[in-house]
Amino acid sequence: MAAPRAGRQPQNDGYRSLPLSGHVGFDSLPDQLVNKSIKQGFCFNILCIGETGTGKSTLIDSLFNTSFDDPVSTHFQPNVRLRAQTYELQESNVRLKLTIVNTVGFGDQINKEDSYQPIVDYIDAQFEAYLQEELKVKRSLFSYHDTRIHACLYFISPTGHSLKTLDLLTMKSLDSKVNIIPIISKADSISKTELQKFKNKLMSELVSNDVQIYQFPTDDETVSQVNTVMNGHLPFAVVGSTEEVKIGNKMVKARQYPWGIVQVENENHCDFVKLREMLICTNMEDLREQTHARHYERYRRCRLEEMGFRDIGPENKPVSLQEAYEAKRQEFYLELQRKEEEMRQHFVQRVKEKETVLKEAEQEIQSKFDHLMLMHQEEKLKLEKKKKALEDDMAMFNKKKANAELLQTQAFVSTPVVSLKRDKDRKKLLRGELDKIGCKITSSAEYDVMHISVSEHIDVSSLSTKK
């Protein structure tokens, strides 16, 4: 490289412009970038928002001239859910990893208050996943599958009147998170005069409600003119179809009706070609750049500020990431200590309260135990008294029984055989007297005992005489 020429004044930005005395070769940098990009491939993620039956899947098939296997959805979904499907496409030598995210059940519920919330959560989740990958110590962003939404095609029903409240709320919630491109779906169901009035009304409502939609960039001289014209056609009125109809000598994608044929790629019939040119051919890279530089950076800044990171300190001095991390770490450490102390004090207080409750319960149980022991002692004394009385009765009975058996034995030994008849008469007489007074004798042994006992006190002969 030649030495700088004397007298050349530096430019306003502080850099000097130097001429080259010969070929160096860094003019091939664009070619190197192209080769690297082609080798790496591209990714593009589209979010389709619209009510069931507005033609989202058909339009995507028409845009990429293929057939994506998207199952048909019904109108009876309990809530809104998002279904993402990724496809590998190749055109010439350029590979594209395309992700189509469809909103299943959007606008089908009776209560549509929170229909847009799952969409907001999904977009934030993709931003958060990319942020976590960036914050890793060992990152792999080169091979990372970027799932951030680059373009949001918002399908508006061709009512011819105005935007629904759900449409306004959804677009207002998403305009700071994604590039919104409004689309009037199934535009062949409305006349051209009504369609133009509908477009003007929609744009007026978007402006009055401060909804920021994606504007095609006009700062690049190569595309500024066409993008300026296309911004005036928003929202695009499109018709999608994968069926081919023969017109003249060629087959074209169209929709055939009894009154005529609507050609999808005829700009006099709809804005399908304009949408495809602006979305894919002209501004796809700008959509990717806007997603990263505008929407993702806003999300990243808010998340880092929530974590406590700042670029400027209290005295408006620059703060490095390490200083912010250490300050936040110290703040979290002090907060952790404070919470630990609060938890410890709370735990001690709870333990004291529990000990008091346990002591009261222990005293109550002890008093009940003492009362039961006292009752047990009283019952034990009563049982012992009854046992002693029963033992005395049994001893007395055994004594009387022994005496009776002894007397009976003596009577049998001393009495002659001839007196047996007299004893039988006495027993018979005694039995009769006992029956009179109602005394029942069940066994002969009891009768013998009673006979002997009575004989000691009663003169049986007297009983015989009285009789």
Side-chain angles (χ1 to χ4, degrees):
M1 183 178 294
R5 293 182 180 180
R8 179 177 292 277
Q9 298 295 328
Q11 297 179 353
N12 295 332
D13 53 5
Y15 298 101
R16 293 183 300 172
S17 177
L18 300 177
L20 299 178
S21 58
H23 180 263
V24 178
F26 56 78
D27 58 349
S28 65
L29 276 175
D31 299 331
Q32 297 177 32
L33 291 176
V34 169
N35 295 333
K36 181 180 178 181
S37 298
I38 291 176
K39 181 179 179 181
Q40 182 180 358
F42 302 89
C43 70
F44 192 61
N45 307 319
I46 301 177
L47 171 64
C48 299
I49 303 178
E51 299 179 359
T52 306
T54 53
K56 301 186 292 294
S57 301
T58 304
L59 181 63
I60 294 298
D61 291 346
S62 303
L63 281 174
F64 292 93
N65 197 21
T66 185
S67 179
F68 299 106
D69 50 345
D70 190 12
V72 179
S73 303
T74 65
H75 291 273
F76 304 100
Q77 298 293 335
N79 47 31
V80 180
R81 60 185 180 89
L82 282 82
R83 182 172 58 211
Q85 293 177 311
T86 303
Y87 306 92
E88 292 278 354
L89 305 179
Q90 183 167 351
E91 187 176 28
S92 298
N93 60 340
V94 178
R95 291 181 297 106
L96 177 66
K97 184 180 291 185
L98 177 67
T99 300
I100 306 297
V101 183
N102 194 6
T103 53
V104 181
F106 180 78
D108 292 341
Q109 294 75 30
I110 296 177
N111 184 6
K112 302 179 178 62
E113 182 178 0
D114 297 328
S115 295
Y116 61 87
Q117 192 59 44
I119 306 174
V120 176
D121 296 339
Y122 179 84
I123 296 174
D124 289 342
Q126 311 317 307
F127 284 152
E128 182 65 23
Y130 193 88
L131 176 62
Q132 293 302 322
E133 184 65 27
E134 275 192 335
L135 295 177
K136 287 182 179 179
V137 176
K138 187 178 180 181
R139 302 183 299 179
S140 58
L141 293 177
F142 179 80
S143 59
Y144 177 76
H145 180 205
D146 188 5
T147 57
R148 296 173 296 177
I149 301 300
H150 300 127
C152 172
L153 302 182
Y154 197 94
F155 289 74
I156 302 172
S157 300
T159 59
H161 300 289
S162 60
L163 285 170
K164 298 179 181 179
T165 305
L166 177 61
D167 297 331
L168 288 173
L169 289 175
T170 304
M171 284 192 279
K172 185 62 180 176
S173 302
L174 298 178
D175 60 355
S176 62
K177 299 177 180 295
V178 70
N179 302 313
I180 301 177
I181 302 176
I183 293 173
I184 301 175
S185 61
K186 296 185 176 182
D188 53 344
S189 62
I190 187 172
S191 65
K192 284 190 174 181
T193 304
E194 293 175 343
L195 181 60
Q196 189 58 43
K197 293 180 180 179
F198 189 38
K199 282 187 175 184
N200 296 335
K201 189 171 183 61
L202 292 182
M203 293 303 297
S204 176
E205 289 183 348
L206 292 175
V207 172
S208 61
N209 289 277
D210 196 24
V211 177
Q212 303 295 325
I213 63 174
Y214 175 74
Q215 295 288 327
F216 301 115
T218 57
D219 52 353
D220 189 355
E221 295 180 357
T222 58
V223 295
S224 61
Q225 185 176 358
V226 64
N227 280 347
T228 301
V229 175
M230 291 303 166
N231 283 329
H233 286 280
L234 289 174
F236 292 127
V238 298
V239 176
S241 177
T242 57
E243 298 179 359
E244 292 187 348
V245 178
K246 186 175 182 180
I247 299 178
N249 295 325
K250 62 179 181 178
M251 302 295 292
V252 297
K253 291 182 179 180
R255 301 186 70 90
Q256 191 169 10
Y257 297 97
W259 45 264
I261 297 175
V262 178
Q263 299 180 34
V264 173
E265 297 181 349
N266 189 336
E267 295 191 39
N268 294 324
H269 292 181
C270 66
D271 298 332
F272 174 81
V273 175
K274 297 182 178 66
L275 173 64
R276 185 174 60 186
E277 291 290 329
M278 293 296 100
L279 180 66
I280 300 175
C281 300
T282 307
N283 300 298
M284 178 182 285
E285 183 59 30
D286 183 74
L287 289 167
R288 287 157 41 91
E289 181 65 26
Q290 286 292 323
T291 299
H292 181 80
R294 179 185 172 191
H295 302 299
Y296 171 70
E297 285 299 323
R298 180 185 289 111
Y299 177 85
R300 176 179 175 276
R301 182 177 67 251
C302 294
R303 286 287 287 123
L304 293 179
E305 288 178 353
E306 289 176 2
M307 296 178 185
F309 295 103
R310 297 288 188 277
D311 293 332
I312 300 176
E315 299 178 357
N316 292 329
K317 294 182 179 180
V319 179
S320 66
L321 182 63
Q322 181 67 21
E323 293 175 353
Y325 171 77
E326 291 296 336
K328 199 64 181 177
R329 182 175 179 273
Q330 184 67 19
E331 180 183 349
F332 283 158
Y333 180 72
L334 296 176
E335 181 69 15
L336 179 62
Q337 286 185 327
R338 185 184 66 80
K339 289 185 177 181
E340 282 185 357
E341 183 63 23
E342 289 181 357
M343 292 179 64
R344 192 181 68 81
Q345 295 292 340
H346 182 67
F347 177 75
V348 171
Q349 182 66 24
R350 290 291 300 273
V351 169
K352 290 182 179 179
E353 293 176 356
K354 198 66 177 178
E355 287 179 350
T356 304
V357 173
L358 291 176
K359 287 181 179 179
E360 293 177 355
E362 184 180 1
Q363 292 177 357
E364 183 179 355
I365 292 174
Q366 185 64 35
S367 62
K368 289 182 179 180
F369 177 76
D370 295 339
H371 178 67
L372 291 175
M373 288 298 295
L374 181 60
M375 292 178 62
H376 174 70
Q377 294 294 335
E378 293 177 355
E379 291 293 332
K380 186 177 180 181
L381 291 175
K382 290 180 181 180
L383 289 175
E384 289 179 352
K385 289 180 179 179
K386 291 182 178 181
K387 180 180 179 182
K388 189 175 185 304
L390 181 60
E391 290 176 349
D392 294 342
D393 292 343
M394 290 176 64
M396 182 64 66
F397 176 78
N398 291 331
K399 184 178 180 181
K400 288 182 179 181
K401 181 179 179 181
N403 292 334
E405 290 177 352
L406 181 60
L407 290 175
Q408 185 178 6
T409 305
Q410 292 176 357
F412 275 108
V413 172
S414 60
T415 305
V417 179
V418 293
S419 64
L420 290 175
K421 185 177 181 181
R422 188 183 302 173
D423 291 337
K424 289 182 180 180
D425 293 339
R426 286 181 180 180
K427 289 180 180 181
K428 185 177 181 181
L429 182 60
L430 179 61
R431 186 185 295 275
E433 292 300 327
L434 291 175
D435 290 338
K436 288 180 182 181
I437 63 177
C439 181
K440 301 292 183 179
I441 303 301
T442 59
S443 63
S444 60
E446 293 180 357
Y447 178 77
D448 291 339
V449 173
M450 183 63 69
H451 174 259
I452 296 170
S453 300
V454 173
S455 299
E456 294 177 355
H457 303 91
I458 302 175
D459 188 3
V460 179
S461 61
S462 63
L463 293 173
S464 177
T465 305
K466 289 180 180 180
K467 183 177 178 181

